[in-house]
Amino acid sequence: MASTPSDPASPQGIRRRELLLGTLAAGFAVAVRPISAATITTDAGGLTEGFVSIPVEACTIPAYRARPATGTNLPVVLVVQEIFGVHAHIQDVCRRLARLGYLAIAPSLFERQGDVTKLPDIASIRPVVAKVPDAQVMSDLDATVVWAGLAGGGDTGKLGITGFCWGGRITWLYAAHNPSLKAGVAWYGRLVGESTPEQPSYPLDLVASIKAPVLGLYGGKDDGIPLETVERMQAALKAAGSRSEIVIYPEAPHGFHADYRPSYRPEAAADGWSRLQAWFKANGVA
């Protein structure tokens, strides 16, 4: 449900809204404030949720996980963060998936490079994220899958992944990395970019290697992801005979699913969420 008071115009409603937004903002990265009144919060009743520790190479990393309070052998969905970290929105996405019967888990993938949730703006965050090697991310996601199967009560034979922005690119990459993945849903992840030692490849480079079908959800008015690159990806997928698909929302900007930001577009977000559910079910993540 949307976190808005019933009468925002009244003095009491305004105070309730201020208090509510203050509470919400406490769970978000500093760089994304102020938090929108449209922010969705999903109740945790009937769920087991919170942070757990995932053993990775030479250390552990935190991960937020949510799942139904009862049941075993749950289908597993990896949830991959935006550049802002595993903040309240990403946690809420996990709870939304848990309410659909999934074990949803979002590992903190920048943990070794720094805590981006405390940084004031995107300009401060980007240098940290640039230091995160793709190989490390793939390894951490693999370790999260192992945890989900051994300790989380999940059935990793029914494995999906979804990610947003930075995590959208990672979703495509993980579909090329893990042959056990059943399906992915990538929300507005970059498809082309400059190769670096840490990030050597982009989704368009890896079309021939993509093993699991990916549903790409993109905005036609995304200032950071030119429509031309999305169309190139569509053409490359078609030429490769891929089962992956891309949906373009012509009027949507970047971040149209992010209900805590001004970029939120409820209709596109709702349609994308419905497509995600159908895509997972059709491809064995259910």
Side-chain angles (χ1 to χ4, degrees):
M1 61 180 178
S3 298
T4 53
S6 58
D7 184 12
S10 71
Q12 182 180 7
I14 291 171
R15 173 151 180 77
R16 286 179 60 201
R17 179 177 180 276
E18 289 173 347
L19 290 171
L20 178 59
L21 294 184
T23 301
L24 285 171
F28 284 88
V30 173
V32 301
R33 299 176 190 177
I35 306 304
S36 169
T39 301
I40 295 169
T41 55
T42 302
D43 182 56
L47 304 179
T48 298
E49 55 84 32
F51 279 89
V52 297
S53 292
I54 306 296
V56 296
E57 187 176 351
C59 64
T60 63
I61 60 172
Y64 181 85
R65 68 85 172 83
R67 49 158 291 165
T70 59
T72 58
N73 298 319
L74 303 169
V76 177
V77 177
L78 302 170
V79 179
V80 189
Q81 66 205 56
E82 306 162 299
I83 64 170
F84 306 114
V86 183
H87 62 42
H89 176 65
I90 298 301
Q91 296 171 34
D92 200 86
V93 169
C94 289
R95 292 195 297 275
R96 297 175 205 182
L97 288 164
R99 292 219 162 276
L100 298 174
Y102 293 104
L103 163 61
I105 184 163
S108 181
L109 297 169
F110 307 158
E111 196 67 19
R112 298 168 186 77
Q113 283 71 36
D115 181 4
V116 296
T117 65
K118 303 296 192 295
L119 298 178
D121 50 41
I122 293 177
S124 302
I125 292 173
R126 282 179 175 150
V128 176
V129 176
K131 297 176 184 177
V132 181
D134 288 342
Q136 172 188 292
V137 174
M138 298 298 109
S139 178
D140 287 355
L141 289 171
D142 287 344
T144 303
V145 174
V146 171
W147 183 94
L150 294 178
D155 178 358
T156 57
K158 299 176 180 178
L159 176 65
I161 185 171
T162 190
F164 304 86
C165 188
W166 182 88
R169 171 180 171 270
I170 294 299
T171 295
W172 288 104
L173 267 57
Y174 198 67
H177 166 79
N178 186 349
S180 297
L181 185 72
K182 294 295 186 183
V185 178
W187 301 76
Y188 35 84
R190 287 186 67 190
L191 299 167
V192 301
E194 182 180 350
S195 177
T196 69
E198 289 76 23
Q199 294 97 34
S201 302
Y202 279 77
L204 189 58
D205 305 321
L206 300 173
V207 166
S209 301
I210 293 173
K211 303 169 182 69
V214 176
L215 174 64
L217 302 171
Y218 287 83
K221 294 188 175 179
D222 190 325
D223 292 336
I225 302 176
L227 188 57
E228 176 268 335
T229 66
V230 180
E231 292 170 343
R232 283 169 58 195
M233 186 71 177
Q234 285 180 309
L237 291 169
K238 182 178 180 180
S242 175
R243 293 180 293 151
S244 298
E245 298 177 8
I246 289 178
V247 174
I248 299 170
Y249 297 96
E251 299 303 314
H254 190 78
F256 61 82
H257 184 269
D259 51 64
Y260 64 97
R261 301 209 314 256
S263 60
Y264 179 48
R265 297 296 183 270
E267 290 185 4
D271 184 78
W273 190 250
S274 294
R275 289 176 184 271
L276 172 147
Q277 295 175 60
W279 189 259
F280 281 160
K281 288 179 181 177
N283 290 288
V285 189

